[in-house]
């Protein structure tokens, strides 16, 4: 099945912009930026844009908080008559080092509350791109860590990670998930910043 919906996860509002937990939003924004002509439109449960890489693809970011992403996913699947295996969810992953990507056809939510809410709403049979956001040191409470800004010495790696994740989305849309998995599940080239 080809992907018809790309759903980037994050938390709404300036307070959370460009934090670790908003990697999904940042990847979605980069995918849209590359199209050069798209813009976000308000939808009842999310911001959406329509991509057309040879076919209709909806790009969306829920307007609810991360742990309530399932409502937006279910509504979009229903409205656009898309099956869960045709939805690619892009999400941060604190268990992966900054720069690592994991593209999978399906699976459980792991420790991610946004994925858990989507799994509760639509099941587990949807592809997901996990974007590694763990820095070299994790201090304090995990929720505070993922909702705080990246460290200044991480910003170059963050930018490279977002670009590579957008490449993975583009490759999945263009070539299918199997080919994209073979390329993007490998460790990235050593970072030189």
């Amino acid at each position: 099945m080809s992907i018809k919906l790309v759903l980037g996860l994050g938390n709404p509002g300036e307070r959370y912009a460009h934090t670790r937990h908003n990697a999904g939003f940042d990847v979605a924004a980069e995918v849209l930026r590359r199209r050069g002509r798209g813009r976000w439109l308000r939808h009842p449960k999310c911001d959406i844009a329509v991509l057309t890489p040879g076919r209709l693809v909806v790009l969306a970011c829920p307007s609810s908080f991360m742990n309530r992403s399932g409502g937006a996913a279910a509504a979009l699947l229903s409205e656009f008559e898309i099956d869960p295996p045709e939805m690619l969810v892009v999400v941060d992953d604190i268990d992966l080092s900054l720069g690592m990507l994991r593209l999978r056809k399906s699976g459980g939510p792991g420790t991610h509350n946004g994925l858990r809410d989507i799994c509760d709403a639509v099941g587990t049979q949807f592809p997901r791109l996990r974007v590694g956001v763990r820095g070299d040191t994790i201090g304090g409470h995990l929720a505070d860590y993922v909702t705080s800004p990246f460290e200044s010495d991480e910003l170059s790696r963050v930018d490279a990670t977002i670009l590579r994740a957008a490449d993975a989305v583009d490759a999945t849309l263009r070539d299918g998930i199997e080919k994209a998995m073979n390329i993007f599940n490998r460790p990235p080239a050593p970072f030189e910043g």
Side-chain angles (χ1 to χ4, degrees):
M1 280 190 176
S2 60
I3 299 299
K4 297 178 182 173
L5 169 62
V6 177
L7 187 65
L9 299 191
N11 282 319
E14 271 308 304
R15 182 209 182 295
Y16 300 104
H18 310 298
T19 60
R20 294 174 203 279
H21 222 25
N22 276 31
F25 279 8
D26 292 338
V27 172
E30 174 60 19
V31 169
L32 184 60
R33 186 199 65 76
R34 291 176 179 192
R35 299 313 187 268
R37 63 188 179 281
R39 64 183 182 89
W40 294 110
L41 304 170
R42 291 295 301 152
H43 188 273
K45 292 185 179 269
C46 56
D47 290 335
I48 66 170
V50 177
L51 307 178
T52 53
R55 66 186 190 287
L56 178 68
V57 177
V58 176
L59 178 67
C61 292
S63 53
S64 57
F65 282 93
M66 176 74 78
N67 60 353
R68 297 284 182 224
S69 300
L76 289 165
L77 292 174
S78 176
E79 180 177 342
F80 291 100
E81 298 180 354
I82 296 171
D83 294 324
E86 299 170 311
M87 173 180 66
L88 173 63
V89 174
V90 183
V91 63
D92 65 285
D93 192 330
I94 194 66
D95 294 325
L96 292 175
S97 297
L98 183 58
M100 295 294 295
L101 302 177
R102 283 293 174 265
L103 183 59
R104 298 283 189 257
K105 289 182 182 179
S106 64
T111 60
H112 200 283
N113 290 332
L115 279 179
R116 181 173 294 108
D117 198 57
I118 293 174
C119 289
D120 289 346
V122 305
T124 61
Q125 299 304 305
F126 60 88
R128 70 277 321 265
L129 173 62
R130 294 178 182 261
V131 180
V133 296
R134 186 183 69 234
D136 295 332
T137 58
I138 298 177
H141 192 266
L142 188 58
D144 294 333
Y145 179 73
V146 297
T147 58
S148 62
F150 286 94
E151 300 295 326
S152 59
D153 64 339
E154 296 174 321
L155 294 178
S156 295
R157 285 188 292 163
V158 171
D159 291 343
T161 301
I162 297 303
L163 293 174
R164 187 165 179 262
D167 290 344
V169 172
D170 287 340
T172 301
L173 294 174
R174 183 184 59 245
D175 303 322
I177 193 166
E178 290 285 346
K179 285 185 180 178
M181 286 170 59
N182 288 334
I183 296 168
F184 292 96
N185 285 345
R186 297 178 185 159
F191 181 75
E192 296 175 17

